[in-house]
Amino acid sequence: MPSHDVLIIGAGLAGQRAALAAADAGASVAILSKVHPVRSHSVAAAGGINAALKPQDTWESHAYDTVKGSDFLGDQDAIEIMCREAPDELLHLEHIGVTFHRNDAGELGTRAFGGASAARTYYVADITGQAILHVLYEQITKYHETVDSYEEWFTTSLVQDDEGTCVGCVARDIRTGEMELFNAKSVILASGGNGQTFKPTTNALICTGDGIAQAYAIGAPLMDMEMVQYHPTTLTENGFLITEGARGEGAHLLNSDGERFMEKYAPNKMELASRDVVSRAEQTEINEGRGIGPDGGGLYLDVTVVPRKRTLEALREIVNIGKDFAGTDITREPISIRPGQHYIMGGVKTDVHGQVPTVAGLYAAGEVACVSVHGGNRLGANSLLDTLIFGRRAGQHAAQRSRAMPMPTTPTSRLRQDLEHIDAIIARDRSGRRISEIKDELGTMMNRNVAVYRDADGLATAHETVRRLKEDATTAYIDDRGTVFNQDVLGAIELGYMLDTAQATVVAAIERKESRGAQFRTDFPERNDDEWLKHIDISRNGDDEPHVTHSPVTMTQWEPEERKY
Ligand SMILES: Cc1cc2nc3c(=O)[nH]c(=O)nc-3n(C[C@H](O)[C@H](O)[C@H](O)COP(=O)(O)OP(=O)(O)OC[C@H]3O[C@@H](n4cnc5c(N)ncnc54)[C@H](O)[C@@H]3O)c2cc1C
């Protein structure tokens, strides 16, 4: 049985940063990923990463913008840590080889991003995530004696000892179908978000909320799950992301009358207001009949106002995406976009060291976690920062915790249960529905009822549908009964994770009877600090039902105020 001080599940930016930090602190590390590490969704991050690095900028200004962006739901102690540690982290990345853009004077160049009062987004053209992920992957090879990389291994469950401490996981070698028990003193979840719960989404096919559901299954609370970010610019046809960097470089949003409609909604920040504000403005324009295209479901993003040379240099990836996926040359004509699912602010509740409060030995960092630095709405370019800061902190803390303890003995019962579960999926006859059919229904339904605008009726329909689909999933069948690269069986397991996390989102959205950040309830259109300035925590107390509790928002120096852009 593989035994390590620190077991990390997920090899995107959060997982790799945690692995480097734990290895640096002298721990033996295992890092597991269901895809090759550099295919993690982090590789798709385009626009950049925030840090108050310029002499005239301050971490307090970055922190205030983040608090305001969060609609005052973010925990201010965690936000302070993230913004204070950002400049050093960015310089560290540069020193280990990330080739951030430099301006003609040779200084690190920035672009403006939404909701920020200063241009503090650092970038590598529009492939920032790829650039950072590859550098971290290279760095990890230096630690080949202490870091074991399990590439294309799929975790099916977290394992607890008799006291409830997390002591490892069960995982399947995707290449052979073999199941293995991993033993560890500390476990860090870095397994990303659950964007695939919505259709369309900007997220990769692998973003199915596995870690969120696995932690939830063993008693970890999920926090702020109602807060789902819709990005203002995704391709109308297929949901592909057009980076916020486009608006950061000066692109305009236009309705069918050719009007720069953001003047009405955010006269000061215009296209660079917070994402929730811009997405809502777009949805209002569409709903009121000023959309474009055959069904009026899109709006124009006009990048032609950016000098062509600059677009070709700084936004080359979206020039390609426009050509390949919408048949549009964005340097010459506007492109049709609409708001689309992009990110979840919620996740596994943690403290500022990444520790999950109710499950000893378990940590979470990155999009899987909710620490919470994003609250009701994440600012663009703050997620890459979140993955690195809290990935590092979790890695360091877990290494330190593990130093003082003996290797635990991991019980084998969970391995047996997971083997039986997989055998049962493979053995199902074809009387049920197809996995892909259920997944499609889930995504389309969530995008209809749990999107930019929500109300009690839509959310009740969503809850009913999720319950029915959970039932359908118990008999859903697969075609591939083999052991080698059986993606079919993994798809069936992932569907279960998506349904569990979707249910938590719907239950939390029903619970929050106000409008804050990404949650806009047309039946409760105002923010209500008296009753709802608090987190919603969802947990499973040993049964399959979501239980709702509330927890306070940590405030340090910023009192809630009206949010205007
Ligand atoms: C298109 C796009 C563009 C973006 N652009 C930006 C940007 O410019 N700036 C910014 O700040 N943010 C951006 N974001 C958000 C940001 O990229 C993500 O939130 C962040 O990269 C998530 O990193 P992570 O390490 O938490 O997870 P991921 O990068 O998603 O990695 C998850 C890892 O977990 C593994 N995993 C998952 N389940 C299992 C399992 N069951 N078993 C084993 N392994 C598993 C996966 O294989 C993967 O290695 C963007 C997001 C998207 C989708």
Side-chain angles (χ1 to χ4, degrees):
M1 178 190 318
S3 291
H4 296 83
D5 293 334
V6 181
L7 167 67
I8 300 170
I9 302 169
L13 286 180
Q16 294 204 24
R17 189 66 188 89
L20 283 169
D24 256 343
S28 70
V29 177
I31 179 164
L32 252 88
S33 173
K34 66 179 175 181
V35 293
H36 187 281
V38 299
R39 301 191 65 193
S40 303
H41 187 62
S42 293
V43 82
I49 174 167
N50 288 335
L53 191 58
K54 285 192 191 157
Q56 64 274 31
D57 199 1
T58 63
W59 73 260
E60 288 92 342
S61 161
H62 183 191
Y64 171 71
D65 290 345
T66 303
V67 169
K68 178 179 170 187
S70 83
D71 218 348
F72 299 90
L73 189 66
D75 282 324
Q76 296 179 11
D77 56 341
I79 292 173
E80 286 192 7
I81 288 172
M82 180 176 82
C83 298
R84 213 185 293 127
E85 295 183 0
D88 281 349
E89 187 65 32
L90 197 101
L91 291 179
H92 169 71
L93 291 175
E94 230 229 355
H95 294 164
I96 61 174
V98 180
T99 53
F100 284 110
H101 177 82
R102 283 178 178 265
N103 61 21
D104 292 341
E107 297 153 346
L108 284 172
T110 53
R111 59 168 52 124
F113 247 57
S117 50
R120 61 168 76 94
T121 302
Y122 294 84
Y123 60 95
V124 182
D126 52 357
I127 56 161
T128 312
Q130 179 182 335
I132 303 175
L133 195 64
H134 278 257
V135 166
L136 295 188
Y137 188 67
E138 286 162 17
Q139 291 293 315
I140 285 182
T141 59
K142 285 201 304 206
Y143 293 95
H144 55 89
E145 282 174 7
T146 45
V147 179
D148 290 333
S149 195
Y150 295 85
E151 298 175 357
E152 299 187 315
W153 280 73
F154 185 100
T155 303
T156 48
S157 294
L158 299 173
V159 178
Q160 288 166 293
D161 67 10
D162 293 343
E163 267 97 63
T165 302
C166 187
V167 289
C169 78
V170 178
R172 179 178 169 100
D173 182 350
I174 301 177
R175 209 155 27 129
T176 62
E178 237 165 82
M179 301 283 285
E180 179 99 69
L181 195 58
F182 283 74
N183 193 12
K185 297 179 186 174
S186 304
V187 178
I188 302 177
L189 277 173
S191 42
N194 73 344
Q196 284 292 320
T197 308
F198 288 74
K199 188 180 177 184
T201 171
T202 64
N203 285 199
L205 280 169
I206 53 175
C207 300
T208 48
D210 305 11
I212 307 174
Q214 288 161 1
Y216 182 49
I218 64 164
L222 307 183
M223 187 162 94
D224 299 344
M225 287 298 286
E226 71 280 21
M227 297 303 180
V228 177
Q229 178 162 82
Y230 271 64
H231 192 290
T233 56
T234 70
L235 288 187
T236 305
E237 291 297 314
N238 48 34
F240 270 61
L241 181 75
I242 300 294
T243 172
E244 188 164 307
R247 280 169 292 136
E249 297 291 340
H252 295 172
L253 288 168
L254 307 173
N255 63 18
S256 58
D257 302 330
E259 182 193 6
R260 255 182 104 184
F261 56 86
M262 283 312 297
E263 278 166 9
K264 292 183 287 190
Y265 304 92
N268 297 319
K269 295 300 266 180
M270 298 290 286
E271 283 86 356
L272 288 178
S274 279
R275 288 179 175 172
D276 57 332
V277 173
V278 182
S279 286
R280 216 150 35 236
E282 289 179 357
Q283 197 60 51
T284 307
E285 292 295 305
I286 291 169
N287 293 353
E288 292 179 357
R290 292 183 293 280
I292 60 156
D295 63 351
L299 290 157
Y300 286 124
L301 176 71
D302 186 2
V303 189
T304 65
V305 292
V306 180
R308 189 158 188 270
K309 184 168 172 283
R310 176 69 186 158
T311 303
L312 293 174
E313 173 197 68
L315 298 169
R316 57 183 183 234
E317 204 47 43
I318 58 162
V319 172
N320 292 335
I321 289 176
K323 275 196 194 127
D324 294 346
F325 296 100
T328 303
D329 178 354
I330 61 164
T331 67
R332 306 208 184 270
E333 56 182 326
I335 191 164
S336 177
I337 53 81
R338 66 171 172 185
Q341 199 283 347
H342 180 56
Y343 182 84
I344 54 162
M345 276 68 77
V348 180
K349 184 184 181 104
T350 70
D351 68 11
V352 296
H353 304 292
Q355 296 184 101
V356 178
T358 49
V359 184
L362 183 62
Y363 294 74
E367 197 168 336
V368 67
C370 182
V371 47
S372 116
V373 283
H374 310 301
N377 170 71
R378 168 173 77 83
L379 295 188
N382 260 356
S383 171
L384 294 190
L385 183 61
D386 167 17
T387 62
L388 296 166
I389 300 290
F390 293 101
R392 169 170 55 72
R393 291 174 71 90
Q396 282 164 343
H397 200 278
Q400 199 182 3
R401 173 180 181 274
S402 306
R403 210 172 284 151
M405 58 191 284
M407 191 62 73
T409 341
T410 306
T412 54
S413 52
R414 192 70 245 179
L415 174 63
R416 269 197 311 279
Q417 285 168 25
D418 284 9
L419 276 167
E420 283 165 16
H421 179 54
I422 288 177
D423 286 347
I425 294 173
I426 290 175
R428 283 177 199 158
D429 63 25
R430 288 167 178 263
S431 57
R433 299 177 72 188
R434 270 186 178 279
I435 303 288
S436 57
E437 211 181 283
I438 301 175
K439 185 183 165 199
D440 270 9
E441 188 181 344
L442 173 69
T444 315
M445 180 285 291
M446 292 292 281
N447 194 44
R448 188 163 47 235
N449 296 305
V450 201
V452 174
Y453 286 117
R454 305 166 175 184
D455 63 28
D457 288 348
L459 292 172
T461 308
H463 200 189
E464 243 173 68
T465 312
V466 172
R467 280 176 186 279
R468 174 170 52 76
L469 295 180
K470 281 185 100 163
E471 198 50 49
D472 290 356
T474 60
T475 55
Y477 70 89
I478 60 173
D479 294 316
D480 187 350
R481 287 156 201 258
T483 49
V484 178
F485 282 103
N486 188 338
Q487 296 291 346
D488 243 12
V489 80
L490 303 186
I493 299 169
E494 288 170 342
L495 177 66
Y497 299 145
M498 286 190 279
L499 287 163
D500 283 347
T501 60
Q503 187 174 35
T505 295
V506 173
V507 168
I510 292 173
E511 174 74 3
R512 185 175 288 285
K513 292 178 182 58
E514 65 153 359
S515 292
R516 179 186 302 273
Q519 153 117 333
F520 194 98
R521 293 275 306 248
T522 52
D523 43 356
F524 297 98
E526 302 298 327
R527 194 176 89 191
N528 176 353
D529 287 341
D530 290 341
E531 287 176 73
W532 289 106
L533 184 58
K534 55 190 176 189
H535 298 293
I536 294 174
D537 299 340
I538 308 275
S539 28
R540 246 159 81 164
N541 303 342
D543 53 27
D544 192 27
E545 283 304 308
H547 296 267
V548 180
T549 51
H550 301 142
S551 58
V553 173
T554 308
M555 307 258 188
T556 55
Q557 44 178 318
W558 298 282
E559 287 297 316
E561 57 193 41
E562 193 190 345
R563 188 158 161 258
K564 283 197 200 130
Y565 286 101

